[in-house]
Amino acid sequence: MTSAVSSPARTIRIGSRKSQLALVQTYWVQEQLQKSFPEIAFEVHTMSTQGDKILDVALAKIGDKGLFTKELELGMLNQEIDFAVHSLKDLPTNLPQGLTLAAITERENPADALVLHEKHKGQQIDTLPEGAVIGTSSLRRLAQLRNQFPHFTFKDVRGNLNTRMAKLDAGEYDALILAVAGLERLGMSDRVHQILPKEISLHAVGQGALGIECRADDTELISLLKAIEHPQTRDRCLAERAFLRDLEGGCQVPIGVNTEINGDNLTLTGIVASVDGQKLVKDTVSGEAKNAEQLGNQLANLLRQQGAQEILDVIFTEIQRGS
């Protein structure tokens, strides 16, 4: 009589960028999954993306929507890793054939933060002096701030969070505009001098949430990943991503959003702005959260009727020219 041999538990390979923030996020996902599925081994595999390697060029001038995701996606398609953890705001709204957005985790604070040089301690964004040098690598933040604070000087800033902070502390900037969620995840909440209200800066699509991407045919893994999904965050982010997708905008286009859920009702606000801040269209839609993507499409159509497409066409032309 032969003894039964149990098949070994599956080993699941998680793909991550090598940056400190990416690893903090990926290890958090690994920990949550390990708690839910102790019989499975979860291994983290790191990769460098194009966005990690090109640090001397403004993101907008590179003009690539998959700067921080392509290498990880190739790893999944080549069966080198099973799923990847992304900051959802970095994940393009149109995914490569064969891949899917399997889960979206509970969102941290999606707002933007004002981080000041120590000489401005106690100030807020509207009390900084004329000509203050504000560092940001985001066209979305740049356009909105130029619209409201044309008297500031804006300067591009690249590098990981620690590199940016070092540049600020060295006096290259009077202030930086960064994501609250990233600062909190790296234990830098004390550096947040002001959380910018939505009236000043609508946040990026997906900001504050993590997106888990995997192969579309791996139904077993997709089912497993649902254990860490947050339904309300998913509805909010699906509405935001549909809005962005409809307008054909990438992470380096001045498109901002804000979403709120009350009961079964979802409210989505969006803006499209010119890079110089001179033109800005903004509107809001509300409806049932179960129709999140339709709400995103509805808002995109509203803004298009108000001139959003003309603004974006100018930006797309400038990006193609490399200007």
Side-chain angles (χ1 to χ4, degrees):
M1 182 176 176
T2 59
S3 59
V5 178
S6 60
S7 58
R10 178 179 178 182
T11 296
I12 295 177
R13 301 156 298 172
I14 310 172
S16 173
R17 292 168 55 199
K18 293 180 178 179
S19 75
Q20 182 185 8
L21 178 57
L23 286 171
V24 165
Q25 294 173 166
T26 300
Y27 287 136
W28 179 85
V29 168
Q30 180 191 40
E31 181 183 3
Q32 301 311 305
L33 289 171
Q34 201 68 75
K35 287 178 183 176
S36 296
F37 306 99
E39 73 283 2
I40 298 176
F42 295 93
E43 299 177 348
V44 174
H45 296 249
T46 60
M47 299 179 179
S48 292
T49 66
Q50 185 184 14
D52 297 313
K53 297 171 184 175
I54 304 175
L55 297 176
D56 57 348
V57 180
L59 291 176
K61 293 186 178 180
I62 302 172
D64 191 328
K65 297 177 187 176
L67 274 176
F68 298 104
T69 61
K70 277 188 176 179
E71 287 77 4
L72 292 165
E73 290 175 332
L74 190 59
M76 284 181 277
L77 292 171
N78 290 339
Q79 308 277 332
E80 296 166 7
I81 56 174
D82 296 302
F83 73 87
V85 179
H86 306 287
S87 292
L88 187 57
K89 67 182 179 63
D90 293 332
L91 187 64
T93 54
N94 291 306
L95 303 183
Q97 186 173 358
L99 298 179
T100 189
L101 179 56
I104 300 174
T105 67
E106 184 170 8
R107 185 174 229 163
E108 300 289 339
N109 189 332
D112 291 328
L114 176 73
V115 181
L116 296 172
H117 186 275
E118 60 180 8
K119 68 183 178 183
H120 297 298
K121 189 175 180 180
Q123 300 291 316
Q124 294 204 323
I125 193 161
D126 56 358
T127 62
L128 288 172
E130 183 172 349
V133 178
I134 313 297
T136 177
S137 60
S138 161
L139 290 186
R140 171 189 58 80
R141 293 168 180 151
L142 179 64
Q144 292 183 89
L145 294 176
R146 276 179 170 163
N147 179 263
Q148 299 199 47
F149 306 102
H151 56 282
F152 290 156
T153 299
F154 295 95
K155 183 179 172 184
D156 194 66
V157 57
R158 290 292 315 279
N160 62 38
L161 203 48
N162 289 324
T163 299
R164 296 184 196 193
M165 288 296 204
K167 291 178 178 180
L168 172 68
D169 294 338
E172 293 184 38
Y173 305 87
D174 292 295
L176 300 178
I177 308 298
L178 300 166
V180 173
L183 291 163
E184 290 181 341
R185 286 177 178 137
L186 289 180
M188 297 183 184
S189 299
D190 60 317
R191 296 301 303 266
V192 176
H193 290 87
Q194 181 187 8
I195 294 177
L196 298 183
K198 60 185 179 182
E199 292 74 23
I200 290 178
S201 183
L202 293 185
H203 58 75
V205 166
Q207 187 160 305
L210 304 181
I212 314 299
E213 185 183 20
C214 73
R215 289 182 293 277
D217 61 359
D218 195 340
T219 53
E220 179 186 355
L221 179 57
I222 292 171
S223 176
L224 180 150
L225 290 170
K226 293 299 181 186
I228 60 171
E229 179 153 82
H230 188 253
Q232 281 199 345
T233 299
R234 184 175 183 89
D235 288 342
R236 291 171 65 188
C237 291
L238 287 180
E240 295 171 13
R241 286 172 64 81
F243 170 64
L244 182 64
R245 184 186 302 113
D246 201 312
L247 291 171
E248 299 182 348
C251 63
Q252 283 307 306
V253 172
I255 292 175
V257 293
N258 179 265
T259 46
E260 297 175 2
I261 287 186
N262 292 303
D264 295 327
N265 192 71
L266 186 150
T267 300
L268 171 65
T269 300
I271 63 108
V272 175
S274 60
V275 178
D276 61 10
Q278 295 297 306
K279 298 177 181 178
L280 187 150
V281 293
K282 180 178 181 178
D283 215 326
T284 299
V285 297
S286 292
E288 292 185 75
K290 67 181 181 181
N291 299 322
E293 293 190 274
Q294 292 95 313
L295 288 171
N297 295 333
Q298 180 185 340
L299 182 60
N301 289 330
L302 273 177
L303 293 193
R304 199 176 277 112
Q305 292 168 18
Q306 297 172 34
Q309 196 60 57
E310 288 78 3
I311 294 172
L312 291 172
D313 286 345
V314 171
I315 294 169
F316 294 147
T317 299
E318 290 174 351
I319 289 175
Q320 288 171 356
R321 288 174 180 166
S323 59

